[in-house]
């Protein structure tokens, strides 16, 4: 029997179904408008996804990349022992984080996506109709906005690619709301210098509340990166033919750059110490591998693992950007 499709493939198929019949020119024009908005760091005025065309374009253009980034983030969070049964996605739009969470955590039983744009929620509901697992097929997509979240709580709250659309005050309130509603939170932003600054502020909020950091940092000290540098990671995204067409791309893949931070209330997970976080693509040379890493002692810098180190060297050859240092 053929193996079941991956979540990424299932999501691509669902997106193709809901965008079928929309003229490629319409999708391309809406995508261009979205790209222009996302490249701006100013807070949004009216909602970005303000029409059916833009919502469909967002699904085709952004959902695969957002899903890939969240899959990497939540996969790392799962390594700490977190096993949520409920997910709340604030500002989740069409539900990319929900797909990533359902893929990562087989423990999930309930998923709720909250957003202020009904058109995005409507498309999200359509996408999950043929999802691979029941928790995703029965996910609730409900209308709500920053400052008016419904009562309730969840084991895990996600906030992805939302902070850039808010003012500084709104960003702080949203992070505080996420922490008030969840036992654990995961926050993801674009892997840009300004996205890094927003992640740093969220990280400070998590630390100041006495929560345990779940990643990516191997410590809870000040960020050691020097001025002009920023912490970010990458996820490989396979492009569909339609995705290449609406973005005008030629390659069959792209790398989604993102920054993130996650934390949990004290005692939610036992957690585990790691030897360091790989901050850039490793340089793999004959006889050694060179890493740029963030260390548990709060420093960052160069680490070299040579062939003389045997098994550690063999594991270093397989290590990638964003992994734990072998």
């Amino acid at each position: 029997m053929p193996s079941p499709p991956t979540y990424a493939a299932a999501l691509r198929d669902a997106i193709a179904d809901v965008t079928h019949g929309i003229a490629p020119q319409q999708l391309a024009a809406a995508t261009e408008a979205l790209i222009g908005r996302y490249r701006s760091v100013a807070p949004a005025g009216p909602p970005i996804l303000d029409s059916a065309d833009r919502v469909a374009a967002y699904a085709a253009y952004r959902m695969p990349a957002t899903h890939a980034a969240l899959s990497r983030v939540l996969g790392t969070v799962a390594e700490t022992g977190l096993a949520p049964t409920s997910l709340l996605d604030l500002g989740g739009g069409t539900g990319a984080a929900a797909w990533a969470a359902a893929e990562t955590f087989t423990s999930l039983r309930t998923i709720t996506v909250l957003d202020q744009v009904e058109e995005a929620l409507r498309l999200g509901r359509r996408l999950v109709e043929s999802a691979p697992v029941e928790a995703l097929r029965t996910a609730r997509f409900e209308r709500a906005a920053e400052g008016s979240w419904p009562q309730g709580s969840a084991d895990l709250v996600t906030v992805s690619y939302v902070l850039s659309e808010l003012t500084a005050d709104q960003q702080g309130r949203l992070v505080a709301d996420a922490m008030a509603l969840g036992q654990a939170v995961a926050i993801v932003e674009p892997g840009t210098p300004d996205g890094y600054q927003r992640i740093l502020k969220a990280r400070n909020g998590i630390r100041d509340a006495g929560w345990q950091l779940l990643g990516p940092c191997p410590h809870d000290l000040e960020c050691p990166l020097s001025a002009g540098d920023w912490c970010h990671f990458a996820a490989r995204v396979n492009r569909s033919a339609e995705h290449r067409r609406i973005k005008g791309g030629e390659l069959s893949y792209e790398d989604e750059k993102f920054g993130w931070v996650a934390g949990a209330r004290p005692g939610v997970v036992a957690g585990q110490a790691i030897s360091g976080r790989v901050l850039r693509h490793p340089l793999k040379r004959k006889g050694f591998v060179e890493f740029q890493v963030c260390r548990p002692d709060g420093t960052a810098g160069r680490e070299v693992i040579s062939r003389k180190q045997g098994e550690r060297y063999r594991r270093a050859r397989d290590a990638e950007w964003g992994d734990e240092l072998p």
Side-chain angles (χ1 to χ4, degrees), residues 78-95:
E79 293 171 1
T80 69
L82 187 72
T85 62
S86 54
L87 171 75
L88 183 61
D89 187 20
L90 303 184
T94 53

Side-chain angles (χ1 to χ4, degrees), residues 89-162:
D89 187 20
L90 303 184
T94 53
W99 281 78
E103 176 181 20
T104 303
F105 300 109
T106 57
S107 55
L108 272 181
R109 296 294 177 266
T110 63
I111 295 173
T112 303
V113 180
L114 302 179
D115 200 274
Q116 64 177 322
V117 181
E118 180 57 40
E119 197 68 50
L121 296 168
R122 185 177 297 115
L123 190 141
R125 294 184 196 106
R126 291 179 60 192
L127 290 174
V128 300
E129 287 176 356
S130 58
V133 292
E134 184 178 2
L136 196 50
R137 290 192 296 272
T138 58
R140 294 180 296 165
F141 287 77
E142 300 178 355
R143 192 167 186 177
E146 185 268 328
S148 61
W149 308 119
Q151 295 295 315
S153 62
D155 294 338
L156 174 63
V157 177
T158 50
V159 179
S160 56
Y161 296 90
V162 175

Side-chain angles (χ1 to χ4, degrees), residues 11-30:
L11 178 58
R12 285 198 304 270
D13 290 345
I15 291 170
D17 285 343
V18 300
T19 57
H20 181 72
I22 301 177
Q25 297 90 337
Q26 285 179 273
L27 283 178

Side-chain angles (χ1 to χ4, degrees), residues 19-244:
T19 57
H20 181 72
I22 301 177
Q25 297 90 337
Q26 285 179 273
L27 283 178
T31 300
E32 281 299 313
L34 287 174
I35 290 173
R37 172 60 193 89
Y38 284 123
R39 286 176 177 166
S40 170
V41 297
I48 295 174
L49 304 181
D50 58 0
S51 68
D53 282 356
R54 286 197 177 186
V55 170
Y58 170 83
Y61 149 59
R62 280 301 306 164
M63 274 193 81
T66 302
H67 172 261
L70 265 294
S71 293
R72 284 217 67 184
V73 168
L74 297 181
T76 302
V77 170
E79 293 171 1
T80 69
L82 187 72
T85 62
S86 54
L87 171 75
L88 183 61
D89 187 20
L90 303 184
T94 53
W99 281 78
E103 176 181 20
T104 303
F105 300 109
T106 57
S107 55
L108 272 181
R109 296 294 177 266
T110 63
I111 295 173
T112 303
V113 180
L114 302 179
D115 200 274
Q116 64 177 322
V117 181
E118 180 57 40
E119 197 68 50
L121 296 168
R122 185 177 297 115
L123 190 141
R125 294 184 196 106
R126 291 179 60 192
L127 290 174
V128 300
E129 287 176 356
S130 58
V133 292
E134 184 178 2
L136 196 50
R137 290 192 296 272
T138 58
R140 294 180 296 165
F141 287 77
E142 300 178 355
R143 192 167 186 177
E146 185 268 328
S148 61
W149 308 119
Q151 295 295 315
S153 62
D155 294 338
L156 174 63
V157 177
T158 50
V159 179
S160 56
Y161 296 90
V162 175
L163 298 181
S164 65
E165 302 175 24
L166 306 175
T167 65
D169 287 344
Q170 288 173 326
Q171 291 171 22
R173 289 197 299 270
L174 180 54
V175 172
D177 286 349
M179 295 175 66
L181 291 166
Q183 296 297 307
V185 299
I187 300 169
V188 183
E189 281 289 294
T192 58
D194 56 285
Y196 165 65
Q197 292 300 321
R198 292 189 290 273
I199 290 295
L200 271 186
K201 290 179 181 177
R203 181 181 186 270
N204 288 339
I206 291 170
R207 287 196 313 158
D208 292 347
W211 281 34
Q212 175 186 0
L213 285 175
L214 303 182
C217 319
H219 59 82
D220 60 2
L221 304 171
E222 294 297 321
C223 179
L225 296 188
S226 59
D229 199 0
W230 68 98
C231 182
H232 65 293
F233 305 94
R236 179 62 52 92
V237 185
N238 293 321
R239 288 171 162 173
S240 66
E242 181 178 48
H243 191 248
R244 293 197 299 272

